[in-house]
Amino acid sequence: MDYAVRGVRADEWPQARKLRLDALQDPAAPVAFLETYEDAVARPDAFWQGRTADAAEEGARWVRQFVAESPEGVWVGTVTVLLESPDEEPRFGEAVTVDQAHLVGVFVRPEVRGTGVADALFRGAVAWAWSLTDPRLERVRLHVHEKNPRAAAFYRKFGFRPSGRQIAAPGDRGELELEYVLEREG
């Protein structure tokens, strides 16, 4: 089946909310996301409206959310791209040294895993990152929990490589998030 990958639109906040809440109920959620279902479901509509508008294709500058949509219009996956610059305050523990993109919030519905949805999402997100000229990004990165081998295997297959950098996973349980990077070619 073919899935269309596109940026979200600001008025699609109810769909964005539903997809995020579904993602937070996935069995892998504790090692894949930085929030819980209980926290997210308690957020008011205004939060979801603002979050979706900030990441919408109509004018997002530092963040863009992509969704994979079935021919029937069902959202089956998502990834969000954050832009990071050496001029900004660190978001994930340490300052970055180059202009780069950071992929977060990756989710594919279980019933379509293994069908190419994740690959299509990543192709769309990375193509958008590489298309930027001001600033021109040098790399794309992401973090994967050390206990999430399924995700790590996909990232490696896509071309991401472990950088050797690690950060503490949220929750102070002594677990790690491993940084994977995709360097710009040429």
Side-chain angles (χ1 to χ4, degrees):
M1 181 180 296
D2 290 325
Y3 299 95
V5 173
R6 63 174 180 79
V8 298
R9 294 183 291 270
D11 65 345
E12 294 177 316
W13 69 267
Q15 297 98 305
R17 178 184 186 272
K18 179 175 181 353
L19 190 61
R20 179 64 172 190
L21 293 176
D22 290 349
L24 291 170
Q25 293 181 68
D26 188 270
V31 297
F33 299 106
L34 301 179
E35 71 179 330
T36 66
Y37 175 83
E38 293 75 21
D39 289 341
V41 77
R43 296 186 187 277
D45 288 350
F47 169 84
W48 297 101
Q49 292 164 352
R51 179 177 172 152
T52 306
D54 287 348
E57 62 185 9
E58 293 95 350
R61 173 66 184 118
W62 67 275
V63 60
R64 175 74 54 94
Q65 182 181 3
F66 292 90
V67 293
E69 193 173 45
S70 74
E72 298 79 31
V74 176
W75 287 12
V76 296
T78 186
V79 63
T80 298
V81 184
L82 303 174
L83 301 185
E84 298 177 315
S85 168
D87 300 331
E88 298 174 345
E89 289 292 318
R91 285 193 192 133
F92 296 94
E94 65 181 36
V96 300
T97 58
V98 297
D99 289 311
Q100 63 187 18
H102 191 147
L103 304 185
V104 299
V106 179
F107 175 69
V108 174
R109 292 190 181 279
E111 64 271 19
V112 297
R113 290 180 184 153
T115 65
V117 172
D119 188 68
L121 281 165
F122 270 57
R123 279 187 281 113
V126 170
W128 179 76
W130 291 155
S131 75
L132 299 174
T133 58
D134 185 27
R136 182 179 188 271
L137 304 182
E138 298 301 318
R139 68 185 201 148
V140 177
R141 75 171 177 164
L142 54 82
H143 287 98
V144 61
H145 193 280
E146 65 183 339
K147 294 182 180 175
N148 196 348
R150 183 188 76 217
F154 168 75
Y155 302 146
R156 284 190 306 274
K157 181 179 175 189
F158 192 85
F160 283 82
R161 297 291 173 248
S163 71
R165 294 180 185 259
Q166 306 170 0
I167 59 172
D172 196 29
R173 297 180 301 207
E175 298 172 334
L176 297 173
E177 295 271 339
L178 311 175
E179 182 186 65
Y180 279 50
V181 297
L182 182 65
E183 302 285 344
R184 181 185 284 277
E185 295 178 9

